[in-house]
Amino acid sequence: MNDMRFTERAVVEDKKIAAKGVQVYYGSNHAIKDVNVDILDKTVTAFIGPSGCGKSTFLRCINRMNDTIDIARVEGDILLDGEDIYDAKVDPVQLRAKVGMVFQKPNPFPKSIYDNVAYGPRIHGLARTKADLDEIVEKSLRRAALWDEAKDRLEQPGTGLSGGQQQRLCIARAVATSPEVLLMDEPCSALDPIATAQVEELIDELRERFSVVIVTHSMQQAARVSQRTAFFHLGELVEYGETGQIFTNPEDPRTESYITGRIG
Amino acid sequence: MTDASIAGAAPEPKKSSLLVQDARTRKRNAAEARFRMYGLGAVCTGILALVLLLASILSNGLSSFQQTYITLEVALPADKLDKNGNRDRAEMAKVSTFGYQPLIAAAMEQKMTARGISVEGLSAKDAAGLVSKEAPAQLRNFVLANPDVLDTTRTFEFLASGRVDGYYKGRVSMETAQLDKNISPEQLQLADILLEEGTLETRFNWRFFTAPDASGQRPEAAGLGVAILGSFYMMLVVLCLALPIGVATSIYLEEFAPKNRITDLIEVNISNLAAVPSIVFGILGLAIFINFAGLPQSAPIVGGLVLTLMTLPTIIISTRASLKSVPPSIRDAALGVGASKMQSVFHHVLPLAAPGILTGTIIGLAQALGETAPLLLIGMVAFVREYPAAPPEGFFDPASALPVQIYNWTQRSDPAFVERASGAIIVLLAFLLVMNAIAILLRRKFERRW
Amino acid sequence: MPVLWLVIAVLLLAAAGYVAGRQRALTSAGNDPRDLHSLPSYYGSHVFIKTAVPALIAMMLWLLVQPLVIESRISNVIPDTAISADTTRSLVMADVRRVAEGLNLAVNQGAMSAEDAARVRADTTDVRERLGEVGIALGSDVEPYVLQAAQSYRALSAAMSTWMTLFVAALAIAGCAIGLMRTRKDFRARNVVEAAILALLMLASTIAILTTLGIILSMLFETRNFFQQYPWHDFFFGLTWSPSFSGRGGASQLGIVPLLWGTLYISFIALLVAVPIGLFAAIYMSEYASPKARAVAKPLIEILAGIPTIVYGLFALITVGPLLRDYFAQPMGLGESASSVMTAGIVMGIMLIPFVSSLSDDIINAVPQAMRDGSLGLGATQSETIKQVIVPAALPGIVGAILLAASRAIGETMIVVLGAGAAAKLDLNPFEAMTTVTVKIVSQLTGDTDFASAETLVAFALGLTLFVITLGLNVLALYIVRKYREQYE
């Protein structure tokens, strides 16, 4: 485990999301059991754990993507800046503008690169003029480190890009709505190592402006990009803390087993 | 990766509470609700159209299952019907239905005087007008079949005329009778008296299912017998031809055909044939089967052949789908124990695909049963009163078909035929319902998940 | 039915061959089936196939060719003088056939002896009356040359039938003998039988091609006949459709333009009804409806697809037509006719709803869930996702579905026959009765017109035009849909 270099930047102790006693059921299946977690602002938080442990399910709770699954039911409170996002008065549409999401497989829309990035600002009405929109698109593409590659082909379809470029396009698309939190569901699992490295570097940059939550299969990746790590196992949050501490000195034996490769 | 960090120019997004919807979100949500309503409206419109369609057909057609009958005792004098008195059928046949008409009038008059019924301004001849024009023919057929009934008085049950029948179904009223030369209000009054007295009654109309078609003046006698039989013959032809040919084609294409241009051509061909307008098949039938091959017009065999060609694509497409759904492991297992390719297909794959094939076939047959346009072109519109003979000769006899009979009736002027046509549609839909129900049951029962 | 008996005889011989072949194979292996190359039943089947298949194929070919040969021989017998101005060779031939059939029937019923029938002469016997007795009614007295031709017709067909019987029987017996001779224990019967079955399967699969070929050739042939009588440019560019009813040509104007106009106008209205309703219904059912609502609504709407078009036709005739006339056309002063473009268009639109909705439903469901997630994850509402992501992604497929629906609408017959009217008009008023290509095909081919006249033959030209238009639409639509499917597979 030599390549685990722990980031040693100062962590801002500013609570962005607070989850209290979250339970998720898929039909009769109890997928998330009583999870309590505080996610900090301007921090990269990694969710790790064996597949099927509920880390992606929990991630989808944070911007209420589980609403789109008919049989899913969420209990407990998730507070964003102190407001309960499952409150009846909350519109998931407004919530998702604040809490963006990047998915496992790059899923650019079958539109031009420009339209892909401009999609969010357009539906949320963030740009008043065409110039505004151009600016947002450029800025987002720059943030996603895609501007240099894409600036000459903005009118070409986003589906024509390579896998890594597509994923960065999706990140640019998510960034374009100026979210406060960015959720990433295994953003690198469909990418090759070089593209993965680019995306990881990008995640680190994004931390300056957003709170980033990333679900990952790869412990190395969690160690490389995150400041805090949560370990999920069988729907429970086993351990949550500073990344360095989780990886070097886990408190729970299950965490240790996973990190040393005995379960997973 | 330096360009990612320049940025910063954009103002920080305004902090807004999640609990308060801003104006834009409200607008967007309203648009969302509207869009959803459009969708719901579309679904409801579709269902409403279905309901309207069925309601219109049912309300017009259900009454055709009821029919008004008049019971009369008719004297059958031998001196009128068999002048030479030797009971020779050939001679008796020379008395046409006109010779029988007065007997019915007499019977009616006798009944009225016996019961003391009279309606002002109604002659005996008019009174006999309550009875269908079909009645003399019915009487004549009965006498010719049983010559020894002559010189006796027999009780007959005659159809009431179409207008009287319509009076009890709400199609004819005293007001319309005033303007109608086929019926007068007085006749309807008489009908009411006869009804009270039990001579006239309305009950279930079995003849509708068995009787042949009747001419435009006597809708009350028209039935679906020949049409049902003709449709049945055609379905037999379709089943006997389309099923084996369709299955053979599918087996070849799915299991044996090499992937080459010819196979491609056949496949494109089949999917196109499935979308060729049905009337084009009628033109094909007329040109090839009737004009070229010299098969008789209006014959179920020609209709069956045309419908076979139309149904083939449906059967082939569903058969191929069910062959495809049999997993390759079954074929491998059979080949693995030394079966030939042909044996593996006929012993294992085909039996497993059979339920799917059967379902597809039934659905194809149901389509064929309701098809009208091509049958018009091959002469099935002809007026046919004779039942076709038993197969195989019957396949070559003129016959009608259910949907064509419906079309035929819509072309007649007497409104009573609209009722008949709607009734025939109910019969047709009932057949289709049964066939589809069987298909669904088969699918439920044998559905297999691999 | 001698042909039927012949078939039965051949099949009986083949069945006997089956038993004999099976037995012979077993005997050659010393009654030990294990020594045989194939299962015993294959040896039997081999003989069966050798006996029946060539004989039956030969018989079918013979039956196809025989009438052609007889026709050409007999029509040579008819003197040219008999072909006068008001008749054609084919009409005379029809008379000849009727007389010949009548004579056959008379012999069968015992009304005439076989010799009488062969000897009967028009100048000595009243043939018409004698045939009338057996139920063959002739329109006029029988001309001597017709009777003569009919007699040689009978003689020729009797002789050819005898020859056919002999030929087919010989072929069956020879096939049976060859099959039996080759039956030995080392003979690879299974391979031969399977090859034969494969050939049969291949033969079956050519029927699809033959059907298309038959459609095209029959229509091309008759269309060519039509264009020999009627100039093609008048047909394609003529603005008037008014066939003369005398059936003797000259005065008829047979321009397709008004018919095409009616067809397209009605189809357009039908699509105007079907596309929005079908598309919105598909969107609602695939994106919004709960599984329960979907399980109820989807089959209900698909019932519409299973209802025969004649039912829609009657619906147009007795319900929709009068309704539109009484509540829209008459109050607005737009027309007095119950059958109109609107009537046919609306009813046809209803018929097409399930067609559009189930195709679009499939296509919308083929759009990957990742697209929806991506859009919803950005905070789009469901309708924004549908309008801006799903529909554009599914657009090619939806266009394909609409093209297929258009092809349906253009080729639809019964609804327009009952709902649109029969007057060929170039008009814009949708409450006016107009007519379509399909209506005119039906009316030109079901009337009592002479089959060789331009008024009848025009139906084939109309049919060919219709076929070409719908084929073009179908090919285009299937191509688009296929390309679309590949994109997401």
Side-chain angles (χ1 to χ4, degrees):
Chain A
M1 291 219 189
N2 286 336
D3 61 337
M4 287 195 187
R5 44 195 173 80
F6 301 122
T7 39
E8 285 157 18
R9 286 176 218 176
V11 174
V12 188
E13 294 283 339
D14 186 6
K15 218 188 327 178
K16 188 71 187 170
I17 298 166
K20 290 184 199 125
V22 175
Q23 319 268 358
V24 179
Y25 302 87
Y26 282 130
S28 58
N29 179 22
H30 197 173
I32 296 284
K33 296 166 192 158
D34 195 27
V35 167
N36 294 293
V37 69
D38 289 338
I39 290 164
L40 307 178
D41 201 9
K42 308 225 188 308
T43 309
V44 178
T45 307
F47 290 175
I48 61 169
S51 47
C53 67
K55 53 194 191 300
S56 289
T57 304
F58 184 67
L59 189 77
R60 292 169 68 93
C61 290
I62 301 177
N63 72 343
R64 292 184 57 174
M65 280 299 280
N66 281 334
D67 289 13
T68 59
I69 300 164
D70 289 324
I71 53 166
R73 189 157 52 83
V74 179
E75 288 173 8
D77 299 324
I78 299 178
L79 306 179
L80 176 70
D81 291 330
E83 291 176 324
D84 184 3
I85 64 168
Y86 280 91
D87 191 290
K89 278 181 276 181
V90 171
D91 190 336
V93 168
Q94 244 172 325
L95 169 70
R96 288 178 198 144
K98 286 190 175 188
V99 183
M101 190 160 189
V102 175
F103 296 84
Q104 189 167 359
K105 257 176 71 185
N107 56 351
F109 303 136
K111 297 164 175 275
S112 71
I113 294 174
Y114 183 94
D115 286 340
N116 259 287
V117 181
Y119 181 75
R122 274 190 185 136
I123 54 174
H124 293 295
L126 300 182
R128 240 167 281 116
T129 61
K130 175 82 171 90
D132 276 2
L133 195 59
D134 288 347
E135 193 192 320
I136 294 177
V137 169
E138 178 177 346
K139 199 176 67 192
S140 309
L141 282 171
R142 279 188 196 280
R143 282 212 184 122
L146 196 60
W147 177 250
D148 290 339
E149 290 150 87
K151 66 178 177 218
D152 298 325
R153 46 195 288 201
L154 288 175
E155 294 312 316
Q156 287 173 27
T159 41
L161 296 169
S162 73
Q165 288 172 326
Q166 286 191 7
Q167 192 63 304
R168 277 182 282 149
L169 177 62
C170 292
I171 293 173
R173 195 174 66 184
V175 168
T177 55
S178 310
E180 295 164 24
V181 179
L182 198 57
L183 307 176
M184 297 183 147
D185 189 357
E186 301 191 28
C188 302
S189 65
L191 303 184
D192 61 40
I194 294 171
T196 302
Q198 285 173 324
V199 172
E200 282 180 6
E201 207 171 326
L202 179 59
I203 292 171
D204 201 47
E205 308 269 351
L206 292 173
R207 185 167 74 93
E208 301 201 340
R209 310 183 60 83
F210 316 109
S211 165
V212 178
V213 184
I214 176 168
V215 162
T216 173
H217 235 72
S218 144
M219 283 172 288
Q220 285 91 336
Q221 188 175 53
R224 280 195 300 267
V225 301
S226 73
Q227 287 78 52
R228 296 181 75 88
T229 298
F231 172 63
F232 284 80
H233 188 236
L234 299 177
E236 285 175 53
L237 177 64
V238 175
E239 198 168 346
Y240 176 52
E242 304 254 335
T243 301
Q245 188 230 324
I246 295 270
F247 277 92
T248 52
N249 191 14
E251 285 170 9
D252 196 289
R254 284 172 292 178
T255 319
E256 192 181 357
S257 304
Y258 180 70
I259 288 175
T260 52
R262 274 201 297 259
I263 53 174
Chain B
M1 284 283 205
T2 45
D3 48 13
S5 47
I6 337 169
E12 279 288 311
K14 293 184 294 292
K15 284 275 177 197
S16 60
S17 169
L18 280 174
L19 299 175
V20 186
Q21 289 192 1
D22 56 42
R24 187 178 171 84
T25 313
R26 272 201 301 279
K27 232 170 86 188
R28 286 169 63 197
N29 282 339
E32 167 76 21
R34 264 200 315 278
F35 190 79
R36 210 186 154 113
M37 285 313 296
Y38 295 153
L40 191 61
V43 173
C44 291
T45 313
I47 294 174
L48 187 74
L50 176 70
V51 171
L52 263 181
L53 176 69
L54 294 180
S56 144
I57 298 297
L58 286 179
S59 68
N60 276 297
L62 274 180
S63 57
S64 62
F65 298 109
Q66 298 285 323
Q67 192 68 47
T68 312
Y69 292 89
I70 295 177
T71 314
L72 287 178
E73 288 97 40
V74 184
L76 301 166
D79 55 334
K80 291 241 177 71
L81 304 180
D82 185 15
K83 289 187 178 102
N84 301 334
N86 51 13
R87 304 288 187 265
D88 178 21
R89 273 169 217 214
E91 280 179 36
M92 285 165 67
K94 290 199 171 134
V95 181
S96 70
T97 50
F98 290 111
Y100 287 84
Q101 179 68 47
L103 303 182
I104 293 169
M108 191 62 144
E109 194 175 3
Q110 198 209 340
K111 173 142 238 155
M112 286 169 70
T113 44
R115 306 278 169 98
I117 306 167
S118 68
V119 175
E120 206 177 316
L122 193 70
S123 70
K125 187 163 167 290
D126 288 344
L130 258 57
V131 181
S132 163
K133 294 194 176 70
E134 187 74 8
Q138 182 191 346
L139 211 54
R140 178 170 180 262
N141 289 343
F142 180 77
V143 170
L144 289 182
N146 318 288
D148 42 314
V149 298
L150 287 180
D151 273 338
T152 60
T153 299
R154 294 265 165 160
T155 309
F156 287 94
E157 205 163 55
F158 296 120
L159 289 162
S161 83
R163 298 300 151 103
V164 174
D165 187 45
Y167 178 55
Y168 292 109
K169 291 169 179 171
R171 197 171 54 235
V172 175
S173 67
M174 288 293 176
E175 289 78 52
T176 58
Q178 200 81 55
L179 307 168
D180 193 335
K181 70 174 166 51
N182 289 321
I183 194 97
S184 63
E186 290 76 25
Q187 282 174 312
L188 294 181
Q189 279 171 25
L190 174 63
D192 278 337
I193 297 171
L194 291 178
L195 179 71
E196 252 170 60
E197 202 231 351
T199 303
L200 187 144
E201 62 168 338
T202 300
R203 56 190 156 75
F204 192 74
N205 182 12
W206 279 111
R207 285 177 46 96
F208 186 55
F209 302 98
T210 55
D213 192 10
S215 70
Q217 277 81 47
R218 41 188 96 158
E220 63 278 3
L224 287 171
V226 175
I228 291 178
L229 202 60
S231 275
F232 176 70
Y233 280 4
M234 283 195 288
M235 289 306 109
L236 268 185
V237 175
V238 174
L239 186 66
C240 292
L241 290 177
L243 182 60
I245 296 176
V247 171
T249 307
S250 316
I251 290 179
Y252 178 70
L253 290 178
E254 204 57 45
E255 306 284 340
F256 294 101
K259 283 271 159 269
N260 59 21
R261 281 239 186 102
I262 298 176
T263 320
D264 257 10
L265 186 70
I266 295 179
E267 291 193 10
V268 171
N269 221 308
I270 288 170
S271 43
N272 276 325
L273 273 184
V276 167
S278 60
I279 189 142
V280 171
F281 284 95
I283 298 180
L284 171 81
L286 178 65
I288 303 276
F289 297 130
I290 294 181
N291 286 351
F292 181 71
L295 290 169
Q297 287 212 349
S298 319
I301 183 84
V302 181
L305 285 172
V306 170
L307 294 179
T308 298
L309 295 182
M310 276 191 59
T311 318
L312 262 182
T314 315
I315 294 185
I316 291 174
I317 290 168
S318 67
T319 304
R320 289 189 67 184
S322 47
L323 287 176
K324 224 177 243 160
S325 72
V326 176
S329 59
I330 301 279
R331 296 173 180 83
D332 294 345
L335 295 178
V337 295
S340 68
K341 176 109 196 183
M342 195 67 79
Q343 284 168 328
S344 84
V345 170
F346 279 92
H347 295 173
H348 299 281
V349 179
L350 200 55
L352 288 173
I357 297 175
L358 226 55
T359 311
T361 307
I362 294 174
I363 289 173
L365 278 183
Q367 257 177 30
L369 182 62
E371 197 53 66
T372 321
L375 302 184
L376 297 183
L377 297 194
I378 56 166
M380 306 281 297
V381 261
F383 178 68
V384 182
R385 267 196 70 100
E386 300 289 315
Y387 292 95
E393 285 87 359
F395 287 135
F396 296 88
D397 288 345
S400 186
L402 261 178
V404 181
Q405 188 69 68
I406 295 168
Y407 169 73
N408 227 334
W409 285 345
T410 62
Q411 300 299 301
R412 306 218 177 135
S413 52
D414 193 323
F417 278 110
V418 168
E419 173 206 79
R420 295 274 145 172
S422 303
I425 281 181
I426 296 173
V427 175
L428 177 64
L429 289 182
F431 278 123
L432 294 181
L433 198 68
V434 170
M435 290 169 88
N436 280 298
I438 292 174
I440 291 170
L441 281 182
L442 272 178
R443 185 154 39 195
R444 289 263 165 83
K445 191 156 159 57
F446 293 102
E447 194 167 53
R448 207 187 296 257
R449 297 232 174 257
W450 301 99
Chain C
M1 274 194 139
V3 173
L4 189 68
W5 286 116
L6 187 59
V7 171
I8 291 173
V10 168
L11 289 181
L12 280 179
L13 181 66
Y18 178 91
V19 178
R22 191 172 183 280
Q23 197 50 50
R24 194 178 152 90
L26 278 174
T27 316
S28 75
N31 275 330
D32 185 353
R34 282 174 299 178
D35 275 358
L36 290 172
H37 168 268
S38 316
L39 289 172
S41 61
Y42 280 109
Y43 291 93
S45 307
H46 164 243
V47 180
F48 185 96
I49 291 171
K50 281 258 159 71
T51 313
V53 172
L56 292 182
I57 289 178
M59 191 181 82
M60 266 194 282
L61 288 180
W62 192 296
L63 285 177
L64 273 179
V65 175
Q66 178 172 322
L68 298 181
V69 173
I70 294 180
E71 297 271 304
S72 68
R73 289 272 198 90
I74 299 299
S75 72
N76 287 338
V77 176
I78 300 171
D80 283 339
T81 49
I83 316 295
S84 52
D86 61 338
T87 180
T88 62
R89 198 168 280 273
S90 63
L91 283 179
V92 177
M93 273 312 294
D95 279 349
V96 169
R97 270 196 299 270
R98 266 184 92 72
V99 174
E101 267 168 37
L103 290 173
N104 281 341
L105 204 65
V107 173
N108 283 348
Q109 293 187 349
M112 250 186 217
S113 72
E115 295 84 49
D116 275 351
R119 273 202 317 262
V120 72
R121 289 178 54 92
D123 36 5
T124 57
T125 323
D126 188 351
V127 181
R128 187 179 174 196
E129 190 193 330
R130 294 202 65 180
L131 291 183
E133 283 167 17
V134 296
I136 296 282
L138 294 175
S140 60
D141 279 336
V142 179
E143 299 284 337
Y145 64 86
V146 171
L147 186 66
Q148 206 188 349
Q151 276 159 348
S152 45
Y153 184 97
R154 286 188 64 227
L156 200 58
S157 49
M160 286 190 75
S161 292
T162 317
W163 278 112
M164 181 186 78
T165 311
L166 288 178
F167 181 70
V168 169
L171 212 58
I173 292 168
C176 186
I178 292 173
L180 280 175
M181 242 148 47
R182 295 185 64 180
T183 304
R184 252 171 290 103
K185 78 178 168 62
D186 297 330
F187 179 63
R188 301 188 164 194
R190 201 199 69 227
N191 305 36
V192 176
V193 170
E194 288 188 351
I197 293 177
L198 190 62
L200 275 181
L201 296 182
M202 281 169 79
L203 200 69
S205 67
T206 54
I207 288 188
I209 291 197
L210 285 182
T211 308
T212 312
L213 219 63
I215 290 174
I216 295 174
L217 285 184
S218 61
M219 290 199 299
L220 266 184
F221 183 70
E222 301 288 0
T223 305
R224 205 199 50 172
N225 284 348
F226 171 65
F227 285 139
Q228 281 169 358
Q229 299 185 25
Y230 194 85
W232 64 270
H233 44 90
D234 285 0
F235 172 70
F236 283 115
F237 303 112
L239 297 182
T240 320
W241 173 273
S242 62
S244 73
F245 289 102
S246 65
R248 287 277 172 262
S252 287
Q253 278 187 295
L254 304 170
I256 196 175
V257 176
L259 307 186
L260 271 183
W261 167 248
T263 305
L264 296 179
Y265 200 179
I266 291 173
S267 305
F268 175 73
I269 289 181
L271 290 179
L272 224 51
V273 173
V275 170
I277 296 181
L279 203 54
F280 268 108
I283 287 172
Y284 186 81
M285 285 192 292
S286 62
E287 302 289 324
Y288 287 108
S290 67
K292 261 190 204 156
R294 186 180 155 88
V296 176
K298 200 170 152 70
L300 272 181
I301 288 188
E302 273 166 13
I303 288 179
L304 284 173
I307 291 177
T309 54
I310 178 79
V311 181
Y312 286 101
L314 192 70
F315 182 53
L317 184 73
I318 63 177
T319 308
V320 178
L323 207 77
L324 284 178
R325 181 193 55 201
D326 297 344
Y327 293 96
F328 291 94
Q330 274 180 347
M332 293 196 289
L334 286 172
E336 298 291 321
S337 163
S339 43
S340 67
V341 170
M342 212 55 177
T343 307
I346 288 177
V347 175
M348 201 191 281
I350 294 174
M351 180 195 81
L352 291 176
I353 289 174
F355 198 73
V356 175
S357 79
S358 63
L359 271 174
S360 313
D361 196 15
D362 287 354
I363 284 157
I364 288 172
N365 280 330
V367 175
Q369 184 62 30
M371 292 290 156
R372 294 182 180 84
D373 284 350
S375 173
L376 293 174
L378 287 171
T381 62
Q382 231 169 331
S383 61
E384 285 161 352
T385 305
I386 292 164
K387 278 185 278 191
Q388 301 190 27
V389 176
I390 297 180
V391 171
L395 197 61
I398 291 173
V399 169
I402 293 173
L403 286 182
L404 280 180
S407 136
R408 271 272 167 116
I410 290 173
E412 174 48 46
T413 310
M414 293 322 294
I415 294 177
V416 283
V417 165
L418 293 177
K425 254 181 255 164
L426 274 168
D427 201 329
L428 272 176
N429 181 357
F431 290 100
E432 199 69 60
M434 286 184 212
T435 197
T436 68
V437 174
T438 49
V439 172
K440 285 302 155 193
I441 293 177
V442 170
S443 67
Q444 296 311 108
L445 285 179
T446 49
D448 281 332
T449 41
D450 168 18
F451 201 80
S453 72
E455 286 76 22
T456 307
L457 288 176
V458 70
F460 290 93
L462 291 175
L464 191 62
T465 316
L466 183 71
F467 180 73
V468 169
I469 294 175
T470 52
L471 187 75
L473 281 175
N474 293 339
V475 170
L476 187 64
L478 289 174
Y479 174 79
I480 293 176
V481 171
R482 192 189 269 195
K483 273 271 162 282
Y484 170 76
R485 290 260 150 81
E486 280 165 6
Q487 186 190 333
Y488 288 115
E489 254 163 23

